[in-house]
Amino acid sequence: AGYVHLVLLGFFHVPASHMTGAVSRLGADLASGDRADLRIVVGIVAGFLAGATLSGLLIGARQVGAGRRYGVALVVEAGLLAAAWLVGRRGGQSAVPLAATACGVQNAMASTYYGLVVRTTHVTGLVTALGLLLGQAVRERRLPGWRTAMLATLLLGFLVGALAGAWAFAVLRLDALVPAAAVTGLAGVAYWAHRHRLRGRAAAPGGSS
């Protein structure tokens, strides 16, 4: 998510995955009457919403759990990123809503994990939750280890992705979306194959249900 956000921000100068910034910019465009920018920002918000809706249809649950259709969602996300790259290469502004839709799919894939709110496309909630846990740890003198580790890992992952995106964008420009689409698609196919293999074992005589 950090990678894609950095590439889109560098090329189109708009926050494709951060709805706080997008809605704030929407308000500014409405106030100033900037119709050209308004269309782009409306496309970002609508695209992100559509992606989250699509993710909900595909996966059907907010809680992370084995056996759900994460592979299909990842392949769809990869297709959207590839489409954004193709449209952007031709100078089309529709690349931004397409990328925002991909971010919406990803962000909605796992909204909660054992009661912990999970956000992968923006870090405001991560930093807030991490700070809350640290504050509670000081007060109660007990650090909730796995929750803190998970939030810190997500935050670090976004930072590393943004760093990789900055390097890739400096060299490849918009073509930096290609490796993002490829890796996401391969991850989706790998998860689908893994899930299919597990279902095959469970269906076999003597397999666990």
Side-chain angles (χ1 to χ4, degrees):
Y3 182 101
V4 171
H5 175 72
L6 200 290
V7 172
L8 268 294
L9 188 63
F11 197 83
F12 291 104
H13 310 291
V14 289
S17 65
H18 288 38
M19 292 302 99
T20 302
V23 174
S24 297
R25 188 162 175 170
L26 181 62
D29 289 340
L30 288 170
S32 64
D34 189 344
R35 294 184 179 180
D37 193 69
L38 180 63
R39 285 193 294 269
I40 296 174
V41 179
V42 167
I44 292 172
V45 177
F48 195 95
L49 178 61
T53 303
L54 179 59
S55 189
L57 288 171
L58 290 173
I59 297 172
R62 298 176 58 194
Q63 176 72 36
V64 176
R68 300 198 174 110
R69 301 172 69 187
Y70 299 118
V72 177
L74 285 169
V75 170
V76 169
E77 181 184 346
L80 288 165
L81 289 174
W85 168 68
L86 288 172
V87 173
R89 288 267 296 182
R90 298 173 182 174
Q93 292 292 323
S94 297
V96 181
L98 285 168
T101 305
C103 291
V105 170
Q106 179 184 322
N107 198 52
M109 283 178 63
S111 294
T112 60
Y113 183 74
Y114 287 98
L116 185 66
V117 177
V118 177
R119 294 291 181 266
T120 57
T121 65
H122 52 278
V123 298
T124 303
L126 291 177
V127 175
T128 301
L130 186 58
L132 180 61
L133 287 177
L134 293 175
Q136 291 174 343
V138 172
R139 180 181 180 127
E140 301 172 4
R141 298 183 181 180
R142 182 176 61 86
L143 184 66
W146 76 265
R147 286 184 171 87
T148 304
M150 184 174 188
L151 290 171
T153 301
L154 287 170
L155 182 59
L156 179 62
F158 192 95
L159 175 61
V160 171
L163 182 60
W167 285 340
F169 180 74
V171 176
L172 301 174
R173 303 294 291 174
L174 189 62
D175 290 345
L177 284 179
V178 175
V183 169
T184 304
L186 288 173
V189 171
Y191 182 86
W192 178 87
H194 174 69
R195 180 171 176 255
H196 184 72
R197 185 167 57 251
L198 291 180
R199 292 178 65 181
R201 288 178 182 176
S208 60
S209 57

